[in-house]
Amino acid sequence: MKNLIQIENCSIQDSNKVYLKKVDFTMKSGEAWLITGVNGGGKAPFVKALSGRLKFVPNEITVRERESGSADGYFASIFGDSVAVVSLEEAAALIEEERQRDDSEVLNKDDPGRIGRQYIAEAMGGSSKKGAPVPDFAWELENNEYVKLCGVEKILDRGLRYMSTGEIRRTLLCRALISGAKLLVLSDPFAGLDADSRKILLNFFNVLVENQQKTDGRDENLPTIILSMERWHEIPSSINKVLEFTNREVSFAGDRSEYEKIYEERQRIRAENRKREKEAFLEELDRIHRESQALTSEINSNLVCDSLIKFEDVNVGWGDHQVLVNLNWEVKKGMHWLIRGPNGSGKTTLLELITGDNMQVFREKVYLFGKRRGSGETIWDIKKQLGIVSYRLHVEYRMVGGTSLQDVIVSGFHDSIGLYEAASDFEKATAKAWLKLGGFEGREEESFSSLSYGEQRAVLILRAAVKRPPLLILDEPCHGLDENYRDKILNLLDTVANTGTTTLLHVTHDPGERLDCEKQVLELHPGENPMYKIC
């Protein structure tokens, strides 16, 4: 077997910061590696270094180290810069880019931006220049094997900003495959994908790895794949090697079978501690609620209507594409809903009608807290009653990423992206308590942008819950969370729901994330009549 990547005694850094002080890692042909570890443990900088966004820098050793047989730092990769990364980070960056390119206000009409066909064609030599026409060859992409594999044939002509989270991920994967990159790094590839999409991607990964192993990596037409994930239960069977990061260091590098033994023992200990930790968690949350009662009572006292949301024959779409058709649905106080459906079925669109991020709400019969949207209320009147965790919110917060974690939490009281007024002492104390509850004790002054994607998502969930809103909207809240954070957050959400002051709307593709309190289910079935089912 030949070495594909060899890293010996290297740091990972950019011009301003050292992210990991020492990394040793060798990948050989025939090996299928998983990169894993807790949120913030060091996995993200390693992936960025593989993609070229950070650098592997050989460490200089001392004379004594050299005399003892230690070697100078060394880095080599046969892939060079032929590397493509598909991740939640990349998807968020793409949406940011599309929003910056949006000319709707200048044109005084909706600007769809780049369509999927155009974006994928850029990897085949098409122009990425703003306003560039779609190249002729792009109109035949439906016949491309990777387009079919990723299941994006039906969304090639949809604007990127109108795609669901899962559709964006599949489009990114398709572009990466078509680009001809020799190394693909797939980070949390199953996040936000529906069951069918997960099966397609899992089969693709296993077949590709098996073919690479059969040829011992000699087939240059096949890319090599490295998988980066936190959730062990989703790991493909073809993975045979594991690299784990903890506390910004390599904590394991070796065979999958050996790592499984370590993981199972951790799970046993985790199960033993879970009840005790949950009891302590609930006690701390109860204390925070009591102390913040005065600050949140005004929000809840203004809510006198039992009906929080009501849709009457709601229809939403773009051009010929209908997303929601004749939807009738009502959410009453204390009725916690799970919302599910395949990628592109309209789940996020439905939530954006509630949050005010979709302007079509004003032509439809959508009622919030007993009043029809557009009847004189301001967006701030609406947001005062809401706590929101969504992909859109995450993207917006990344654009003001220098905000401290304390200010991110306090901004939940003000419904702002960033904080633009001085926080009160009580708000600071409450934010500090919530950060401690979420596992961020002592990190109040760290910037949001310095966190891993999963840590950022955890902080945004704390922000959404801090004011105990009448309605808490959760669009795939556990994206990017490791198993420990996932347990913490699900416990938090279940407890918030059981306080009786907050009603949940929860979108997720993972059946393991359904909460006990979610007794009502809204299923969306695109293309069917009716296009939804309540059960």
Side-chain angles (χ1 to χ4, degrees):
M1 294 191 298
K2 63 180 180 180
N3 288 345
L4 305 181
I5 300 174
Q6 191 172 358
I7 307 167
E8 296 179 4
N9 189 20
C10 286
S11 62
I12 293 178
Q13 57 185 270
D14 58 19
S15 58
N16 300 314
K17 181 178 178 181
V18 175
Y19 295 87
L20 300 178
K21 293 181 179 179
K22 186 176 186 296
V23 176
D24 294 291
F25 171 69
T26 300
M27 178 180 184
K28 298 179 180 294
S29 57
E31 296 177 342
W33 280 86
L34 168 73
I35 307 169
T36 191
V38 299
N39 293 140
K43 181 175 77 281
F46 184 76
V47 169
K48 287 182 179 180
L50 287 176
S51 69
R53 294 194 173 186
L54 296 176
K55 292 183 178 180
F56 290 107
V57 179
N59 289 323
E60 295 181 4
I61 62 174
T62 65
V63 173
R64 180 175 296 180
E65 287 173 328
R66 188 171 286 108
E67 290 175 347
S68 66
S70 297
D72 289 318
Y74 177 77
F75 167 68
S77 170
I78 69 166
F79 304 110
D81 59 1
S82 184
V83 181
V85 176
V86 179
S87 67
L88 292 167
E89 292 270 4
E90 295 294 318
L94 176 58
I95 295 301
E96 285 180 42
E97 183 182 351
E98 282 302 292
R99 292 185 67 177
Q100 291 169 357
R101 293 166 63 123
D102 187 358
D103 280 342
S104 296
E105 291 186 7
V106 176
L107 299 173
N108 199 28
K109 64 178 183 178
D110 183 54
D111 174 15
R114 284 179 292 181
I115 59 175
R117 186 185 305 277
Q118 184 174 13
Y119 178 67
I120 292 171
E122 289 173 9
M124 306 168 68
S127 173
S128 61
K129 187 177 179 181
K130 188 174 179 179
V134 179
D136 291 341
F137 64 80
W139 298 107
E140 300 179 1
L141 279 175
E142 284 87 348
N143 300 319
N144 186 280
E145 60 176 323
Y146 289 137
V147 169
K148 294 178 181 179
L149 175 68
C150 297
V152 297
E153 307 102 301
K154 294 181 179 180
I155 59 173
L156 287 172
D157 294 313
R158 190 177 304 170
L160 295 175
R161 69 171 65 98
Y162 298 130
M163 292 183 185
S164 69
T165 307
E167 289 169 336
I168 281 283
R169 302 290 304 288
R170 284 189 278 138
T171 301
L172 279 169
L173 177 61
C174 182
R175 173 176 158 129
L177 290 168
I178 283 179
S179 73
K182 300 302 182 184
L183 176 64
L184 295 184
V185 182
L186 306 183
S187 181
D188 287 313
F190 302 113
L193 297 186
D194 57 40
D196 289 341
S197 297
R198 289 184 185 210
K199 288 179 183 177
I200 291 171
L201 183 54
L202 184 62
N203 181 65
F204 158 74
F205 180 84
N206 284 330
V207 169
L208 191 59
V209 169
E210 288 170 6
N211 288 338
Q212 278 283 23
Q213 290 172 341
K214 286 178 183 177
T215 64
D216 194 27
R218 291 189 298 273
D219 188 342
E220 294 185 357
N221 294 318
L222 295 176
T224 297
I225 291 183
I226 292 178
L227 198 60
S228 175
M229 295 176 61
E230 293 91 358
R231 299 185 190 178
W232 187 256
H233 70 279
E234 294 181 332
I235 304 303
S237 59
S238 50
I239 289 289
N240 55 26
K241 294 285 185 177
V242 178
L243 177 68
E244 180 190 65
F245 288 92
T246 308
N247 295 325
R248 303 271 166 173
E249 295 179 348
V250 174
S251 51
F252 180 89
D255 293 337
R256 173 178 181 151
S257 58
E258 289 302 311
Y259 186 78
E260 282 180 333
K261 296 175 184 176
I262 297 171
Y263 178 80
E264 288 170 2
E265 176 61 15
R266 289 176 183 169
Q267 288 297 93
R268 184 187 66 78
I269 295 172
R270 185 165 158 234
E272 290 177 354
N273 294 336
R274 190 172 295 151
K275 183 177 180 180
R276 175 178 53 80
E277 291 175 350
K278 185 172 183 178
E279 289 173 351
F281 178 91
L282 297 180
E283 182 179 334
E284 179 68 10
L285 184 59
D286 183 59
R287 182 188 67 79
I288 294 173
H289 275 172
R290 290 196 308 271
E291 293 180 357
S292 61
Q293 183 71 38
L295 197 60
T296 59
S297 59
E298 180 185 350
I299 295 170
N300 289 283
S301 66
N302 291 333
L303 186 63
V304 294
C305 182
D306 238 9
S307 179
L308 304 182
I309 303 168
K310 191 173 182 180
F311 283 26
E312 294 183 356
D313 291 323
V314 169
N315 291 270
V316 175
W318 297 274
D320 296 330
H321 178 64
Q322 285 297 107
V323 181
L324 301 178
V325 180
N326 298 329
L327 175 60
N328 290 282
W329 175 53
E330 185 173 19
V331 175
K332 292 188 176 181
K333 184 178 180 181
M335 295 174 61
H336 308 291
W337 285 80
L338 176 70
I339 303 171
R340 62 192 181 197
N343 293 142
S345 61
K347 301 183 299 298
T348 297
T349 297
L350 182 148
L351 296 184
E352 289 180 346
L353 289 173
I354 300 168
T355 62
D357 293 314
N358 188 314
M359 292 300 102
Q360 295 187 49
V361 67
F362 295 111
R363 74 179 191 196
E364 301 297 322
K365 292 181 180 179
V366 175
Y367 299 83
L368 299 185
F369 313 115
K371 297 180 180 180
R372 183 170 175 176
R373 284 303 314 273
S375 59
E377 82 289 354
T378 69
I379 189 63
W380 300 108
D381 293 330
I382 297 297
K383 288 192 173 182
K384 189 175 182 179
Q385 311 288 345
L386 305 179
I388 303 169
V389 179
S390 68
Y391 191 63
R392 177 189 288 266
L393 177 77
H394 200 151
V395 169
E396 290 177 342
Y397 240 108
R398 284 167 55 89
M399 297 174 76
V400 291
T403 308
S404 72
L405 301 192
Q406 176 177 278
D407 286 352
V408 171
I409 302 300
V410 172
S411 73
F413 288 117
H414 302 273
D415 307 308
S416 58
I417 306 298
L419 190 64
Y420 305 99
E421 54 188 283
S424 69
D425 290 341
F426 187 76
E427 287 174 337
K428 291 177 182 178
T430 303
K432 187 174 182 179
W434 277 86
L435 286 169
K436 178 181 178 182
L437 189 68
F440 294 92
E441 185 176 12
R443 302 175 65 182
E444 295 85 6
E445 297 306 317
E446 289 187 26
S447 70
F448 185 77
S449 60
S450 70
L451 304 185
S452 69
Y453 188 94
E455 288 178 308
Q456 290 178 353
R457 182 54 64 99
V459 169
L460 291 178
I461 293 171
L462 299 175
R463 172 195 179 273
V466 68
K467 66 178 180 182
R468 297 168 60 201
L471 190 62
L472 185 54
I473 297 175
L474 308 160
D475 191 0
E476 296 283 4
C478 294
H479 265 183
L481 299 186
D482 63 38
E483 291 181 335
N484 287 324
Y485 268 124
R486 179 174 174 268
D487 282 352
K488 275 181 179 290
I489 292 306
L490 293 178
N491 284 339
L492 167 67
L493 296 175
D494 200 35
T495 305
V496 167
N498 289 327
T499 62
T501 60
T502 297
T503 300
L504 305 186
L505 295 185
H506 183 194
V507 171
T508 180
H509 289 291
D510 189 338
E513 292 176 5
R514 181 174 181 175
L515 301 171
D516 292 338
C517 65
E518 293 166 355
K519 307 301 184 185
Q520 285 76 33
V521 179
L522 174 64
E523 289 184 353
L524 301 183
H525 300 280
E528 298 183 14
N529 186 18
M531 52 70 64
Y532 67 96
K533 179 181 178 183
I534 293 175
C535 50

